[in-house]
Amino acid sequence: MDFRFDLIAEYGPLFLKGAFLTIGVSLLGILLGCILGLFIGLGKIVQNKWIALPFAWYIHFFRGTPLFVQILLIHFGVVPLFAGTTNALLALVLSLSLNAAAYIAEIFRAGIQSIEKGQMEAARSLGMTHRQAMRHVILPQAFKRMIPPLGNEFIILIKESSLGAVIAAPELMYWGRAMQGQYYRPWEPYLTVAFIYLILTLSLSYLLTRLERRLDTK
Amino acid sequence: MKKSFLLIFASLILVLAACGTSENGENDGQGSDGGDEKEKLRVVTDAAYAPFEYMDKGEIVGFDVDFITAVLEEAGYEFTIENVGWDPLFVEIKDEHADFAISAITINDDRKETYDFSVPYFESRNMILVPTDSDIESGDDLKGKKVAVQNGTTGQEVVEEILGTNNKNISKFENNNLAIQELLAGGADAVVADNTVVLEYVKNNPDKDLKTVEDPNFESEFYGLMFPKGSELQEDINEAVKTVIENGTYAEIFEEWFGKAPNVDALIDQQ
């Protein structure tokens, strides 16, 4: 197999730029997704059915339609509606955050509900309000259980940011496709891009494992 | 730890490489047992390029489809045409998974290094698509403007010649429809693509306030059928292409799709 390393070197700076953009977009997506996800997850476990309903539907919509379609809808529909023009980066961050929020909401919900009822009862009988019990007793315990599924979600999010290539957001995959389009050689761009994604996700896994160990109380 | 990771990655590449070779072998086998009988050809296309090839209720139709049907009838082959997408199309041909491709593919020197082409069967030119109130009047006016193109097309090449390769003002989309969507949504100032496709879009969407700009400096291009390097089919099919163009069948199909007579002499000149 004639593997042209010189072509990879030529696109190296662009891949690097794309990789940084991928990291930036993913971090923003993770951050906004977490904030929004916590809010939506809490909304869904509210006792009042009518308050919980919109949150449940939010999750249904973003978990039930392909991210690919969401990106196209947001890029060509939602962003121009508010900004007057398309903005690929904005659309990508927005779709990733909104999509991740739906999954993260479920992770939060499951985490909170996995804490035994007795914990809340004990906290309340110590005189804490519901809010205090949540903040000081339930959420810290729940958070530890949420780390592995959250890590999963973050890794998926990094990889799915590659869908930004369809709306020409200049992230890593976009440059891989551009290189493929210029030279019509599939192995050099796609293997290189795969390798860079692998490095990104492996680094994230490593960080998450460290975080998990740090929070381990045993 | 590091070593095992490298090992995994290396074995991954090996597996990929193995996949490639085994499929190649399979194809060779099919070719050799054909003998005198002409086998069924596998033709690939990217059916998102109206009016050349597009999906109509699940079926691939278009000028290219009618043309290749006529050509293969002339040459006496049976065939199936399959929609594989633009980028995969080049891989299919390079790895000889398909016999040839027809997809409004421009013959150029870069591509000739890796592929073989038939004689030209269509003349085309790139064209600029802009909103009616745009002040873009030529290719040079594209400088400093945002331009949307289809990734890997000659439209992209033309724009990169003016703005520079991988200029950040050039957005490369999966196909022309997405590029035009970007223009309509205000994310780009112009789209550059083949004239036939651009004119077809304007004709079908008169309410979108778009106009076309021609630049005489954009060179004529010719479409050809694309074969794997050293394909034995090529000679047979080339003859049939010439016959279909010369006996008037080509002009008939052309008029049916484009509503005007083709410049057959320009094509024959190129042969």
Side-chain angles (χ1 to χ4, degrees), chain B residues 18 23 93 119 126 175 209:
Chain B
E23 274 174 50
I93 299 300
V119 293
N126 275 295
N175 58 49
D209 285 330

Side-chain angles (χ1 to χ4, degrees), chain A residues 14 75 85-86 174 177 180 184, chain B residues 87 151-152 172 182 185-187:
Chain A
L14 293 170
H75 181 64
T85 153
T86 59
Y174 175 79
R177 294 189 35 72
Q180 205 273 344
Y184 291 107
Chain B
D87 290 339
N151 186 32
K172 301 163 190 174
E182 181 80 1

Side-chain angles (χ1 to χ4, degrees), chain B residues 23-41:
Chain B
E23 274 174 50
N24 262 344
E26 220 170 83
N27 218 29
D28 290 347
Q30 269 177 6
S32 57
D33 65 23
D36 270 357
E37 212 174 291
K38 288 183 175 174
E39 79 269 45
K40 201 168 184 180
L41 302 182

Side-chain angles (χ1 to χ4, degrees), chain A residues 7-137:
Chain A
L7 297 185
I8 297 176
E10 187 195 321
Y11 264 81
L14 293 170
F15 282 147
L16 200 68
K17 247 165 72 181
F20 277 119
L21 203 98
T22 292
I23 295 172
V25 163
S26 307
L27 283 181
L28 268 175
I30 288 170
L31 199 73
L32 296 173
C34 275
I35 297 169
L36 204 61
L38 175 63
F39 176 69
I40 292 164
L42 288 173
K44 204 191 164 187
I45 49 176
V46 168
Q47 293 290 330
N48 186 321
K49 230 173 55 188
W50 293 105
I51 298 177
L53 196 69
F55 296 102
W57 272 103
Y58 178 93
I59 294 170
H60 284 314
F61 178 78
F62 280 98
R63 216 171 45 169
T65 54
L67 178 62
F68 182 72
V69 179
Q70 289 164 18
I71 288 180
L72 288 176
L73 284 177
I74 289 173
H75 181 64
F76 290 123
V78 179
V79 172
L81 197 67
F82 292 105
T85 153
T86 59
N87 185 324
L89 281 182
L90 183 65
L92 184 59
V93 171
L94 206 59
S95 356
L96 286 175
S97 329
L98 292 178
N99 184 277
Y103 290 93
I104 291 171
E106 287 293 86
I107 294 171
F108 273 122
R109 187 178 65 84
I112 290 167
Q113 289 180 344
S114 76
I115 306 298
E116 298 77 16
K117 261 208 189 95
Q119 295 283 322
M120 175 58 96
E121 283 163 5
R124 295 302 297 274
S125 59
L126 282 176
M128 289 187 186
T129 62
H130 183 84
R131 184 179 291 249
Q132 281 173 329
M134 261 308 205
R135 227 183 101 191
H136 299 294
V137 180

